[in-house]
Amino acid sequence: MTPSDDSVSHYDRELTHMDPDVRWIAVTDLEEEGGPEAVRYLIRALRDPEFISIRWRSAMALGNLGDHTAVEPLIAALGDENDHVREEAADALGRIGDPRAVSSLITALKDPQRGVRLRALSALVRIGDAAKPALENAMGSVEEAFARLAREALDDIQKKDTRT
């Protein structure tokens, strides 16, 4: 089921409502409904200027829906000022599994927040073989922690490949 013409104005109102709970409910309803129009609204909510919780919940919903049109906005969300938004964006990109996210996820391995780095690592493992060349390149980094994360991701991809 996708949002109807009547609900278009409904979501326009709810996603800009002054009460964050109203926005939250709209995001969860859109996730449940799914479809291209819901993804369009969730992408808009991903850029909510007032409420961090709406941004990270939208990233989560987009990852759960798995629509590849959300990849570029989620990549942009990796640069959000809030680490929870960046974590959920990295996780969502891993769920979608689109190779376009690899270079941005590699960059996220250098994020100052450990949670973001771990989610980016997990996302790269989910993407799998398409991430290998970038990870191999990252292993040559002079930053020991960054190179170690790249090696860990490659090892996890290899383990995943041998299990399938």
Side-chain angles (χ1 to χ4, degrees):
M1 179 164 72
T2 60
S4 68
D5 290 338
D6 292 336
S7 67
V8 171
S9 61
H10 166 78
Y11 285 120
D12 283 330
R13 283 190 310 272
E14 288 188 351
L15 289 173
T16 58
H17 198 278
M18 61 190 295
D19 184 346
D21 290 336
V22 172
R23 293 183 194 195
W24 182 278
I25 291 167
V27 168
T28 59
D29 287 350
L30 286 162
E31 179 182 14
E32 186 176 305
E33 290 180 14
E37 190 148 3
V39 169
R40 185 174 62 82
Y41 277 111
L42 288 168
I43 288 170
R44 188 175 102 195
L46 183 61
R47 297 185 296 265
D48 189 295
E50 298 174 285
F51 299 108
I52 293 164
S53 62
I54 300 305
R55 295 198 308 268
W56 68 255
R57 184 61 182 92
S58 297
M60 182 186 300
L62 288 165
N64 289 338
L65 291 175
D67 191 306
H68 288 258
T69 60
V71 171
E72 293 300 327
L74 286 165
I75 287 171
L78 288 174
D80 194 278
E81 65 185 336
N82 183 272
D83 58 308
H84 296 297
V85 176
R86 296 193 310 273
E87 285 179 18
E88 292 303 335
D91 188 63
L93 288 165
R95 287 177 183 273
I96 294 170
D98 193 307
R100 292 179 291 166
V102 169
S103 66
S104 296
L105 289 166
I106 293 283
T107 300
L109 292 176
K110 295 181 182 181
D111 193 279
Q113 293 296 322
R114 182 176 187 269
V116 176
R117 293 190 305 268
L118 293 175
R119 297 278 188 102
L121 179 72
S122 176
L124 289 162
V125 171
R126 282 183 184 160
I127 292 171
D129 288 341
K132 283 181 177 178
L135 287 165
E136 289 166 353
N137 187 44
M139 283 180 38
S141 172
V142 294
E143 298 175 45
E144 183 181 328
F146 179 64
R148 190 175 64 246
L149 282 173
R151 174 80 259 159
E152 185 177 331
L154 282 167
D155 290 346
D156 288 349
I157 290 169
Q158 184 63 36
K159 288 176 193 171
K160 186 175 96 174
D161 288 346
T162 58
R163 286 191 301 250
T164 56

